[in-house]
Amino acid sequence: MQTTSILRQKTSLQESVLDILNQQMGVEAHSSALYLSMSAWCYAQGLRGCGEFFRKQSDEEREHMMKIFHYITHAGALALSPEVGKVERNFEDLRSVLVAALDQEIQITENFNKMTEHCQKARDFQTARFLQWYLDEQLEEERQARRCIEIFDLMNAKDALYDIDREIHDLKKGE
């Protein structure tokens, strides 16, 4: 029977903080899968620009998950590989995809706010500082999701779907 090294048994991460970090890895994994599903739907509709946009969003969410994974493992704790549950695959139209993306980003922002509050109450200021990067990132993620909806709403959707597709794709070029 293999035992865990003493170096891996001792960590400054409190169990409650470790739990919420592992839970957030699951949220990020689900978000990555959701964006990949949105990407596939867009490609199937001939919206290659939006498909590429959401594929990149999916990649970013996985990177966010891996950043948490590395934080946990570098702290000497056990990161748990998340399971991904059912992911939406059918969408009514492009606007519903864009609204779902904004809703997802708002939910993630709320999660990080709650996590940061928990860390501060637990006096885990190192993890609270680590989470600040995510709070800054979420401000940008929400701004971009809102901009996608603005682009859609500013253009006559039925007559300008090609232009909407191109504009949303170009949002990722500026990063």
Side-chain angles (χ1 to χ4, degrees):
M1 182 171 152
Q2 185 177 2
T3 59
T4 304
S5 160
I6 189 68
L7 295 176
R8 295 294 174 202
Q9 291 177 3
K10 298 198 179 282
T11 179
S12 60
L13 284 178
Q14 297 174 35
E15 192 170 331
S16 66
V17 173
L18 178 59
D19 288 345
I20 63 173
L21 288 171
N22 274 314
Q23 288 170 11
Q24 188 61 32
M25 280 191 3
V27 171
E28 299 294 333
H30 183 269
S31 187
S32 178
L34 177 62
Y35 282 133
L36 195 59
S37 178
M38 290 173 172
S39 175
W41 183 90
C42 289
Y43 279 120
Q45 306 305 309
L47 300 168
R48 293 185 311 210
C50 291
E52 180 70 7
F53 175 85
F54 284 115
R55 186 201 55 77
K56 288 179 181 177
Q57 282 295 112
S58 175
D59 291 347
E60 285 180 14
E61 297 303 320
R62 185 174 188 287
E63 288 174 18
H64 296 168
M65 178 190 72
M66 292 307 299
K67 187 175 179 110
I68 297 170
F69 176 89
H70 290 299
Y71 180 82
I72 293 170
T73 58
H74 291 176
L78 179 63
L80 302 177
S81 180
E83 293 182 24
V84 177
K86 188 176 180 341
V87 175
E88 183 62 44
R89 293 187 177 143
N90 299 309
F91 302 95
E92 186 178 323
D93 54 24
L94 180 57
R95 192 173 197 288
S96 71
V97 171
L98 301 175
V99 169
L102 176 58
D103 290 344
Q104 181 71 13
E105 292 303 335
I106 290 170
Q107 176 191 349
I108 291 172
T109 300
E110 289 172 1
N111 285 359
F112 280 112
N113 282 328
K114 289 175 186 173
M115 291 170 65
T116 303
E117 179 182 30
H118 177 85
C119 289
Q120 289 171 343
K121 286 180 180 177
R123 301 186 52 80
D124 183 345
F125 302 113
Q126 183 67 32
T127 302
R129 188 178 74 170
F130 167 73
L131 295 174
Q132 186 59 51
W133 179 88
Y134 286 94
L135 293 171
D136 294 340
E137 175 72 8
Q138 282 309 117
L139 186 65
E140 174 59 23
E141 295 288 347
E142 284 188 36
R143 183 202 62 78
Q144 190 172 61
R146 283 188 182 86
R147 183 62 186 147
C148 288
I149 296 169
E150 286 174 350
I151 289 168
F152 186 92
D153 289 347
L154 287 170
M155 297 181 171
N156 180 336
K158 191 164 184 119
D159 298 331
L161 206 49
Y162 177 81
D163 293 327
I164 292 168
D165 184 52
R166 188 178 62 225
E167 287 291 322
I168 289 174
H169 175 264
D170 290 349
L171 284 175
K172 283 290 182 196
K173 284 186 177 177
E175 293 183 352

